[in-house]
Amino acid sequence: MPRDTLTREQIVRTAIELLDDEGLEGLNMRALGKRLDSAATAVYWHVKNKDNLVLLAGDQVWGEIALPDPGVVGWRAAAASMAEELYAMFQRHPWLVQALASHLFYGEGKARHDDHVLGVYEAAGFDGGGADQAAAAVFTYVLGNALGASATASLTRRLGRDGGDSEAQFAATMDKAREIAERHPRLRERLDGPSIGYADGPDGAFSFGLQRLLDGLEAELEGRVRQGRRGGR
């Protein structure tokens, strides 16, 4: 594809597909050019370098998150929905979790998300600094839960590139993990019991933890209201 027929939108969209398939380590201009049926040099007419492309791709996927109106659904439902959508977005694009450790993301997509989420916590009753703290606490919780899926995706790709049987190596690793876990009573109880918590817990644990975190934020707001009432007497 000649450079004058390429657009930045095409390049970013294709870069996201490549990142989803190959991760950060698989993104380079030659591979991207091949997917675009274009010379790698043509890509440079639209993006500066790989880091610039990662920033553009990251900002694009941030736009996938819906922005519910807290005035319609309530602040807590809006906060939970945005956290769940952020978590799902990180699972769809696990490379973004890796990229957050090495890139400072900015752009309209992320700004749109960040501005709205602050508005959600302001609608709840948090002041400016309190809204920042609440949003940061929830974001950090979501990011921490997404690390496992990101690491698994990266490891699977690495095992595939090394020519190994990734499924067999994962099975062998799980066998070793089970062997160690069986030496500890609480882990052994979960291994021997119904398949909840230990094997199937991550998704349920995320929802549980998110609701408890929002419980804490709600309790903080209620405490501030009670303190204000006592101060007004």
PDB file of all heavy atoms in Angstrom, residues 184-217:
ATOM      1  N   HIS A 184       0.456 -27.140  52.021  1.00  0.00           N
ATOM      2  CA  HIS A 184      -0.094 -26.095  52.888  1.00  0.00           C
ATOM      3  C   HIS A 184      -1.592 -26.334  53.073  1.00  0.00           C
ATOM      4  O   HIS A 184      -2.325 -26.469  52.087  1.00  0.00           O
ATOM      5  CB  HIS A 184       0.173 -24.724  52.277  1.00  0.00           C
ATOM      6  CG  HIS A 184       1.633 -24.456  52.047  1.00  0.00           C
ATOM      7  ND1 HIS A 184       2.443 -23.908  53.016  1.00  0.00           N
ATOM      8  CD2 HIS A 184       2.441 -24.702  50.972  1.00  0.00           C
ATOM      9  CE1 HIS A 184       3.682 -23.804  52.536  1.00  0.00           C
ATOM     10  NE2 HIS A 184       3.702 -24.287  51.309  1.00  0.00           N
ATOM     11  N   PRO A 185      -2.051 -26.387  54.322  1.00  0.00           N
ATOM     12  CA  PRO A 185      -3.414 -26.868  54.605  1.00  0.00           C
ATOM     13  C   PRO A 185      -4.534 -26.088  53.939  1.00  0.00           C
ATOM     14  O   PRO A 185      -5.475 -26.680  53.420  1.00  0.00           O
ATOM     15  CB  PRO A 185      -3.500 -26.792  56.130  1.00  0.00           C
ATOM     16  CG  PRO A 185      -2.427 -25.822  56.545  1.00  0.00           C
ATOM     17  CD  PRO A 185      -1.337 -26.007  55.545  1.00  0.00           C
ATOM     18  N   ARG A 186      -4.466 -24.784  53.940  1.00  0.00           N
ATOM     19  CA  ARG A 186      -5.570 -24.004  53.377  1.00  0.00           C
ATOM     20  C   ARG A 186      -5.613 -24.115  51.863  1.00  0.00           C
ATOM     21  O   ARG A 186      -6.696 -24.194  51.271  1.00  0.00           O
ATOM     22  CB  ARG A 186      -5.455 -22.545  53.816  1.00  0.00           C
ATOM     23  CG  ARG A 186      -5.635 -22.387  55.334  1.00  0.00           C
ATOM     24  CD  ARG A 186      -5.356 -20.960  55.785  1.00  0.00           C
ATOM     25  NE  ARG A 186      -5.414 -20.869  57.237  1.00  0.00           N
ATOM     26  CZ  ARG A 186      -4.407 -21.182  58.064  1.00  0.00           C
ATOM     27  NH1 ARG A 186      -3.246 -21.607  57.555  1.00  0.00           N
ATOM     28  NH2 ARG A 186      -4.549 -21.086  59.360  1.00  0.00           N
ATOM     29  N   LEU A 187      -4.446 -24.126  51.234  1.00  0.00           N
ATOM     30  CA  LEU A 187      -4.417 -24.316  49.783  1.00  0.00           C
ATOM     31  C   LEU A 187      -4.854 -25.726  49.419  1.00  0.00           C
ATOM     32  O   LEU A 187      -5.587 -25.933  48.449  1.00  0.00           O
ATOM     33  CB  LEU A 187      -3.012 -24.045  49.241  1.00  0.00           C
ATOM     34  CG  LEU A 187      -2.491 -22.615  49.428  1.00  0.00           C
ATOM     35  CD1 LEU A 187      -1.095 -22.492  48.830  1.00  0.00           C
ATOM     36  CD2 LEU A 187      -3.431 -21.600  48.806  1.00  0.00           C
ATOM     37  N   ARG A 188      -4.414 -26.709  50.200  1.00  0.00           N
ATOM     38  CA  ARG A 188      -4.797 -28.098  49.922  1.00  0.00           C
ATOM     39  C   ARG A 188      -6.303 -28.277  50.044  1.00  0.00           C
ATOM     40  O   ARG A 188      -6.925 -28.979  49.240  1.00  0.00           O
ATOM     41  CB  ARG A 188      -4.075 -29.034  50.893  1.00  0.00           C
ATOM     42  CG  ARG A 188      -4.353 -30.517  50.619  1.00  0.00           C
ATOM     43  CD  ARG A 188      -3.470 -31.430  51.467  1.00  0.00           C
ATOM     44  NE  ARG A 188      -3.724 -31.241  52.900  1.00  0.00           N
ATOM     45  CZ  ARG A 188      -2.829 -30.694  53.733  1.00  0.00           C
ATOM     46  NH1 ARG A 188      -1.651 -30.280  53.292  1.00  0.00           N
ATOM     47  NH2 ARG A 188      -3.124 -30.561  55.014  1.00  0.00           N
ATOM     48  N   GLU A 189      -6.909 -27.627  51.011  1.00  0.00           N
ATOM     49  CA  GLU A 189      -8.361 -27.718  51.190  1.00  0.00           C
ATOM     50  C   GLU A 189      -9.094 -27.210  49.955  1.00  0.00           C
ATOM     51  O   GLU A 189     -10.082 -27.792  49.519  1.00  0.00           O
ATOM     52  CB  GLU A 189      -8.774 -26.902  52.414  1.00  0.00           C
ATOM     53  CG  GLU A 189     -10.278 -26.920  52.689  1.00  0.00           C
ATOM     54  CD  GLU A 189     -10.638 -26.070  53.885  1.00  0.00           C
ATOM     55  OE1 GLU A 189      -9.710 -25.530  54.543  1.00  0.00           O
ATOM     56  OE2 GLU A 189     -11.837 -25.933  54.167  1.00  0.00           O
ATOM     57  N   ARG A 190      -8.583 -26.149  49.356  1.00  0.00           N
ATOM     58  CA  ARG A 190      -9.224 -25.600  48.168  1.00  0.00           C
ATOM     59  C   ARG A 190      -8.978 -26.454  46.933  1.00  0.00           C
ATOM     60  O   ARG A 190      -9.825 -26.543  46.045  1.00  0.00           O
ATOM     61  CB  ARG A 190      -8.741 -24.161  47.958  1.00  0.00           C
ATOM     62  CG  ARG A 190      -9.429 -23.195  48.921  1.00  0.00           C
ATOM     63  CD  ARG A 190      -8.625 -21.938  49.164  1.00  0.00           C
ATOM     64  NE  ARG A 190      -9.377 -21.033  50.043  1.00  0.00           N
ATOM     65  CZ  ARG A 190      -9.480 -21.190  51.355  1.00  0.00           C
ATOM     66  NH1 ARG A 190      -8.895 -22.218  51.961  1.00  0.00           N
ATOM     67  NH2 ARG A 190     -10.190 -20.329  52.081  1.00  0.00           N
ATOM     68  N   LEU A 191      -7.832 -27.067  46.873  1.00  0.00           N
ATOM     69  CA  LEU A 191      -7.556 -27.968  45.757  1.00  0.00           C
ATOM     70  C   LEU A 191      -8.439 -29.206  45.810  1.00  0.00           C
ATOM     71  O   LEU A 191      -8.897 -29.696  44.776  1.00  0.00           O
ATOM     72  CB  LEU A 191      -6.088 -28.398  45.774  1.00  0.00           C
ATOM     73  CG  LEU A 191      -5.067 -27.328  45.366  1.00  0.00           C
ATOM     74  CD1 LEU A 191      -3.658 -27.814  45.677  1.00  0.00           C
ATOM     75  CD2 LEU A 191      -5.193 -26.996  43.891  1.00  0.00           C
ATOM     76  N   ASP A 192      -8.680 -29.694  47.000  1.00  0.00           N
ATOM     77  CA  ASP A 192      -9.451 -30.930  47.163  1.00  0.00           C
ATOM     78  C   ASP A 192     -10.952 -30.695  47.186  1.00  0.00           C
ATOM     79  O   ASP A 192     -11.742 -31.630  47.011  1.00  0.00           O
ATOM     80  CB  ASP A 192      -9.033 -31.645  48.466  1.00  0.00           C
ATOM     81  CG  ASP A 192      -7.597 -32.127  48.410  1.00  0.00           C
ATOM     82  OD1 ASP A 192      -7.092 -32.305  47.289  1.00  0.00           O
ATOM     83  OD2 ASP A 192      -6.986 -32.314  49.479  1.00  0.00           O
ATOM     84  N   GLY A 193     -11.370 -29.446  47.401  1.00  0.00           N
ATOM     85  CA  GLY A 193     -12.795 -29.155  47.506  1.00  0.00           C
ATOM     86  C   GLY A 193     -13.410 -28.802  46.172  1.00  0.00           C
ATOM     87  O   GLY A 193     -12.807 -29.022  45.107  1.00  0.00           O
ATOM     88  N   PRO A 194     -14.627 -28.245  46.179  1.00  0.00           N
ATOM     89  CA  PRO A 194     -15.288 -27.825  44.936  1.00  0.00           C
ATOM     90  C   PRO A 194     -14.428 -26.811  44.193  1.00  0.00           C
ATOM     91  O   PRO A 194     -13.644 -26.079  44.799  1.00  0.00           O
ATOM     92  CB  PRO A 194     -16.605 -27.198  45.426  1.00  0.00           C
ATOM     93  CG  PRO A 194     -16.811 -27.765  46.795  1.00  0.00           C
ATOM     94  CD  PRO A 194     -15.440 -27.971  47.371  1.00  0.00           C
ATOM     95  N   SER A 195     -14.588 -26.770  42.890  1.00  0.00           N
ATOM     96  CA  SER A 195     -13.731 -25.911  42.066  1.00  0.00           C
ATOM     97  C   SER A 195     -14.194 -24.460  42.109  1.00  0.00           C
ATOM     98  O   SER A 195     -14.631 -23.884  41.131  1.00  0.00           O
ATOM     99  CB  SER A 195     -13.729 -26.393  40.609  1.00  0.00           C
ATOM    100  OG  SER A 195     -15.046 -26.374  40.102  1.00  0.00           O
ATOM    101  N   ILE A 196     -14.144 -23.893  43.304  1.00  0.00           N
ATOM    102  CA  ILE A 196     -14.430 -22.478  43.465  1.00  0.00           C
ATOM    103  C   ILE A 196     -13.253 -21.854  44.195  1.00  0.00           C
ATOM    104  O   ILE A 196     -12.513 -22.535  44.912  1.00  0.00           O
ATOM    105  CB  ILE A 196     -15.728 -22.234  44.274  1.00  0.00           C
ATOM    106  CG1 ILE A 196     -15.636 -22.905  45.666  1.00  0.00           C
ATOM    107  CG2 ILE A 196     -16.931 -22.779  43.548  1.00  0.00           C
ATOM    108  CD1 ILE A 196     -16.777 -22.561  46.586  1.00  0.00           C
ATOM    109  N   GLY A 197     -13.087 -20.592  44.041  1.00  0.00           N
ATOM    110  CA  GLY A 197     -12.045 -19.890  44.765  1.00  0.00           C
ATOM    111  C   GLY A 197     -10.676 -20.129  44.185  1.00  0.00           C
ATOM    112  O   GLY A 197     -10.142 -19.290  43.466  1.00  0.00           O
ATOM    113  N   TYR A 198     -10.092 -21.291  44.427  1.00  0.00           N
ATOM    114  CA  TYR A 198      -8.694 -21.506  44.060  1.00  0.00           C
ATOM    115  C   TYR A 198      -8.514 -21.583  42.552  1.00  0.00           C
ATOM    116  O   TYR A 198      -7.630 -20.942  41.999  1.00  0.00           O
ATOM    117  CB  TYR A 198      -8.159 -22.787  44.715  1.00  0.00           C
ATOM    118  CG  TYR A 198      -6.663 -22.878  44.649  1.00  0.00           C
ATOM    119  CD1 TYR A 198      -5.889 -22.140  45.544  1.00  0.00           C
ATOM    120  CD2 TYR A 198      -6.026 -23.650  43.699  1.00  0.00           C
ATOM    121  CE1 TYR A 198      -4.507 -22.192  45.499  1.00  0.00           C
ATOM    122  CE2 TYR A 198      -4.638 -23.697  43.637  1.00  0.00           C
ATOM    123  CZ  TYR A 198      -3.886 -22.976  44.544  1.00  0.00           C
ATOM    124  OH  TYR A 198      -2.520 -23.024  44.479  1.00  0.00           O
ATOM    125  N   ALA A 199      -9.341 -22.367  41.875  1.00  0.00           N
ATOM    126  CA  ALA A 199      -9.171 -22.516  40.427  1.00  0.00           C
ATOM    127  C   ALA A 199     -10.002 -21.518  39.640  1.00  0.00           C
ATOM    128  O   ALA A 199      -9.568 -21.021  38.600  1.00  0.00           O
ATOM    129  CB  ALA A 199      -9.546 -23.944  40.005  1.00  0.00           C
ATOM    130  N   ASP A 200     -11.195 -21.206  40.123  1.00  0.00           N
ATOM    131  CA  ASP A 200     -12.120 -20.392  39.338  1.00  0.00           C
ATOM    132  C   ASP A 200     -12.364 -19.019  39.967  1.00  0.00           C
ATOM    133  O   ASP A 200     -13.284 -18.330  39.588  1.00  0.00           O
ATOM    134  CB  ASP A 200     -13.471 -21.111  39.210  1.00  0.00           C
ATOM    135  CG  ASP A 200     -13.332 -22.461  38.525  1.00  0.00           C
ATOM    136  OD1 ASP A 200     -12.440 -22.574  37.672  1.00  0.00           O
ATOM    137  OD2 ASP A 200     -14.091 -23.380  38.861  1.00  0.00           O
ATOM    138  N   GLY A 201     -11.519 -18.640  40.904  1.00  0.00           N
ATOM    139  CA  GLY A 201     -11.777 -17.436  41.666  1.00  0.00           C
ATOM    140  C   GLY A 201     -11.512 -16.109  41.014  1.00  0.00           C
ATOM    141  O   GLY A 201     -12.128 -15.136  41.411  1.00  0.00           O
ATOM    142  N   PRO A 202     -10.574 -15.966  40.053  1.00  0.00           N
ATOM    143  CA  PRO A 202     -10.194 -14.616  39.640  1.00  0.00           C
ATOM    144  C   PRO A 202     -11.339 -13.699  39.238  1.00  0.00           C
ATOM    145  O   PRO A 202     -11.417 -12.580  39.722  1.00  0.00           O
ATOM    146  CB  PRO A 202      -9.258 -14.884  38.450  1.00  0.00           C
ATOM    147  CG  PRO A 202      -8.661 -16.213  38.763  1.00  0.00           C
ATOM    148  CD  PRO A 202      -9.755 -16.992  39.434  1.00  0.00           C
ATOM    149  N   ASP A 203     -12.261 -14.153  38.373  1.00  0.00           N
ATOM    150  CA  ASP A 203     -13.353 -13.272  37.953  1.00  0.00           C
ATOM    151  C   ASP A 203     -14.267 -12.931  39.121  1.00  0.00           C
ATOM    152  O   ASP A 203     -14.645 -11.791  39.325  1.00  0.00           O
ATOM    153  CB  ASP A 203     -14.157 -13.925  36.827  1.00  0.00           C
ATOM    154  CG  ASP A 203     -13.371 -13.974  35.524  1.00  0.00           C
ATOM    155  OD1 ASP A 203     -12.437 -13.166  35.381  1.00  0.00           O
ATOM    156  OD2 ASP A 203     -13.672 -14.821  34.680  1.00  0.00           O
ATOM    157  N   GLY A 204     -14.634 -13.942  39.897  1.00  0.00           N
ATOM    158  CA  GLY A 204     -15.472 -13.701  41.062  1.00  0.00           C
ATOM    159  C   GLY A 204     -14.773 -12.845  42.089  1.00  0.00           C
ATOM    160  O   GLY A 204     -15.391 -11.988  42.734  1.00  0.00           O
ATOM    161  N   ALA A 205     -13.480 -13.066  42.256  1.00  0.00           N
ATOM    162  CA  ALA A 205     -12.711 -12.292  43.221  1.00  0.00           C
ATOM    163  C   ALA A 205     -12.650 -10.827  42.810  1.00  0.00           C
ATOM    164  O   ALA A 205     -12.687  -9.927  43.658  1.00  0.00           O
ATOM    165  CB  ALA A 205     -11.304 -12.867  43.357  1.00  0.00           C
ATOM    166  N   PHE A 206     -12.565 -10.568  41.511  1.00  0.00           N
ATOM    167  CA  PHE A 206     -12.526  -9.178  41.053  1.00  0.00           C
ATOM    168  C   PHE A 206     -13.818  -8.466  41.423  1.00  0.00           C
ATOM    169  O   PHE A 206     -13.786  -7.365  41.988  1.00  0.00           O
ATOM    170  CB  PHE A 206     -12.313  -9.120  39.535  1.00  0.00           C
ATOM    171  CG  PHE A 206     -12.428  -7.721  38.994  1.00  0.00           C
ATOM    172  CD1 PHE A 206     -11.373  -6.834  39.125  1.00  0.00           C
ATOM    173  CD2 PHE A 206     -13.598  -7.287  38.381  1.00  0.00           C
ATOM    174  CE1 PHE A 206     -11.479  -5.527  38.655  1.00  0.00           C
ATOM    175  CE2 PHE A 206     -13.700  -5.990  37.908  1.00  0.00           C
ATOM    176  CZ  PHE A 206     -12.645  -5.112  38.042  1.00  0.00           C
ATOM    177  N   SER A 207     -14.954  -9.052  41.113  1.00  0.00           N
ATOM    178  CA  SER A 207     -16.240  -8.426  41.419  1.00  0.00           C
ATOM    179  C   SER A 207     -16.416  -8.247  42.918  1.00  0.00           C
ATOM    180  O   SER A 207     -16.887  -7.193  43.380  1.00  0.00           O
ATOM    181  CB  SER A 207     -17.385  -9.270  40.852  1.00  0.00           C
ATOM    182  OG  SER A 207     -17.304  -9.330  39.441  1.00  0.00           O
ATOM    183  N   PHE A 208     -16.040  -9.272  43.686  1.00  0.00           N
ATOM    184  CA  PHE A 208     -16.151  -9.196  45.141  1.00  0.00           C
ATOM    185  C   PHE A 208     -15.305  -8.050  45.685  1.00  0.00           C
ATOM    186  O   PHE A 208     -15.772  -7.221  46.461  1.00  0.00           O
ATOM    187  CB  PHE A 208     -15.710 -10.523  45.771  1.00  0.00           C
ATOM    188  CG  PHE A 208     -15.701 -10.512  47.272  1.00  0.00           C
ATOM    189  CD1 PHE A 208     -16.862 -10.770  47.984  1.00  0.00           C
ATOM    190  CD2 PHE A 208     -14.531 -10.238  47.977  1.00  0.00           C
ATOM    191  CE1 PHE A 208     -16.854 -10.748  49.377  1.00  0.00           C
ATOM    192  CE2 PHE A 208     -14.512 -10.213  49.361  1.00  0.00           C
ATOM    193  CZ  PHE A 208     -15.680 -10.471  50.063  1.00  0.00           C
ATOM    194  N   GLY A 209     -14.042  -8.013  45.261  1.00  0.00           N
ATOM    195  CA  GLY A 209     -13.142  -6.971  45.756  1.00  0.00           C
ATOM    196  C   GLY A 209     -13.576  -5.579  45.340  1.00  0.00           C
ATOM    197  O   GLY A 209     -13.468  -4.621  46.117  1.00  0.00           O
ATOM    198  N   LEU A 210     -14.067  -5.448  44.106  1.00  0.00           N
ATOM    199  CA  LEU A 210     -14.524  -4.143  43.635  1.00  0.00           C
ATOM    200  C   LEU A 210     -15.687  -3.636  44.480  1.00  0.00           C
ATOM    201  O   LEU A 210     -15.711  -2.464  44.884  1.00  0.00           O
ATOM    202  CB  LEU A 210     -14.944  -4.237  42.167  1.00  0.00           C
ATOM    203  CG  LEU A 210     -15.556  -2.969  41.563  1.00  0.00           C
ATOM    204  CD1 LEU A 210     -14.571  -1.810  41.610  1.00  0.00           C
ATOM    205  CD2 LEU A 210     -16.008  -3.234  40.118  1.00  0.00           C
ATOM    206  N   GLN A 211     -16.639  -4.513  44.771  1.00  0.00           N
ATOM    207  CA  GLN A 211     -17.789  -4.095  45.580  1.00  0.00           C
ATOM    208  C   GLN A 211     -17.369  -3.719  46.996  1.00  0.00           C
ATOM    209  O   GLN A 211     -17.894  -2.773  47.581  1.00  0.00           O
ATOM    210  CB  GLN A 211     -18.849  -5.195  45.599  1.00  0.00           C
ATOM    211  CG  GLN A 211     -19.538  -5.405  44.262  1.00  0.00           C
ATOM    212  CD  GLN A 211     -20.174  -4.143  43.711  1.00  0.00           C
ATOM    213  OE1 GLN A 211     -20.779  -3.358  44.457  1.00  0.00           O
ATOM    214  NE2 GLN A 211     -20.032  -3.907  42.414  1.00  0.00           N
ATOM    215  N   ARG A 212     -16.386  -4.445  47.559  1.00  0.00           N
ATOM    216  CA  ARG A 212     -15.924  -4.108  48.903  1.00  0.00           C
ATOM    217  C   ARG A 212     -15.182  -2.782  48.894  1.00  0.00           C
ATOM    218  O   ARG A 212     -15.261  -2.004  49.846  1.00  0.00           O
ATOM    219  CB  ARG A 212     -15.022  -5.217  49.444  1.00  0.00           C
ATOM    220  CG  ARG A 212     -15.678  -6.586  49.544  1.00  0.00           C
ATOM    221  CD  ARG A 212     -16.872  -6.666  50.509  1.00  0.00           C
ATOM    222  NE  ARG A 212     -18.091  -6.054  50.005  1.00  0.00           N
ATOM    223  CZ  ARG A 212     -18.888  -6.618  49.082  1.00  0.00           C
ATOM    224  NH1 ARG A 212     -18.580  -7.773  48.540  1.00  0.00           N
ATOM    225  NH2 ARG A 212     -20.003  -6.009  48.713  1.00  0.00           N
ATOM    226  N   LEU A 213     -14.443  -2.513  47.832  1.00  0.00           N
ATOM    227  CA  LEU A 213     -13.755  -1.230  47.708  1.00  0.00           C
ATOM    228  C   LEU A 213     -14.768  -0.099  47.616  1.00  0.00           C
ATOM    229  O   LEU A 213     -14.614   0.943  48.272  1.00  0.00           O
ATOM    230  CB  LEU A 213     -12.854  -1.259  46.468  1.00  0.00           C
ATOM    231  CG  LEU A 213     -12.077   0.021  46.125  1.00  0.00           C
ATOM    232  CD1 LEU A 213     -11.239   0.487  47.307  1.00  0.00           C
ATOM    233  CD2 LEU A 213     -11.199  -0.220  44.911  1.00  0.00           C
ATOM    234  N   LEU A 214     -15.812  -0.296  46.833  1.00  0.00           N
ATOM    235  CA  LEU A 214     -16.857   0.726  46.736  1.00  0.00           C
ATOM    236  C   LEU A 214     -17.623   0.866  48.046  1.00  0.00           C
ATOM    237  O   LEU A 214     -18.053   1.966  48.402  1.00  0.00           O
ATOM    238  CB  LEU A 214     -17.807   0.390  45.580  1.00  0.00           C
ATOM    239  CG  LEU A 214     -17.177   0.454  44.175  1.00  0.00           C
ATOM    240  CD1 LEU A 214     -18.187   0.014  43.123  1.00  0.00           C
ATOM    241  CD2 LEU A 214     -16.657   1.849  43.862  1.00  0.00           C
ATOM    242  N   ASP A 215     -17.777  -0.244  48.775  1.00  0.00           N
ATOM    243  CA  ASP A 215     -18.363  -0.161  50.123  1.00  0.00           C
ATOM    244  C   ASP A 215     -17.550   0.796  50.987  1.00  0.00           C
ATOM    245  O   ASP A 215     -18.107   1.625  51.724  1.00  0.00           O
ATOM    246  CB  ASP A 215     -18.369  -1.542  50.797  1.00  0.00           C
ATOM    247  CG  ASP A 215     -19.443  -2.467  50.254  1.00  0.00           C
ATOM    248  OD1 ASP A 215     -20.370  -1.989  49.578  1.00  0.00           O
ATOM    249  OD2 ASP A 215     -19.345  -3.685  50.520  1.00  0.00           O
ATOM    250  N   GLY A 216     -16.212   0.653  50.907  1.00  0.00           N
ATOM    251  CA  GLY A 216     -15.346   1.505  51.708  1.00  0.00           C
ATOM    252  C   GLY A 216     -15.463   2.966  51.319  1.00  0.00           C
ATOM    253  O   GLY A 216     -15.484   3.851  52.188  1.00  0.00           O
ATOM    254  N   LEU A 217     -15.538   3.237  50.030  1.00  0.00           N
ATOM    255  CA  LEU A 217     -15.692   4.623  49.581  1.00  0.00           C
ATOM    256  C   LEU A 217     -17.039   5.193  50.033  1.00  0.00           C
ATOM    257  O   LEU A 217     -17.133   6.363  50.449  1.00  0.00           O
ATOM    258  CB  LEU A 217     -15.573   4.699  48.057  1.00  0.00           C
ATOM    259  CG  LEU A 217     -14.185   4.380  47.482  1.00  0.00           C
ATOM    260  CD1 LEU A 217     -14.235   4.373  45.954  1.00  0.00           C
ATOM    261  CD2 LEU A 217     -13.139   5.374  47.970  1.00  0.00           C
TER     262      LEU A 217
END
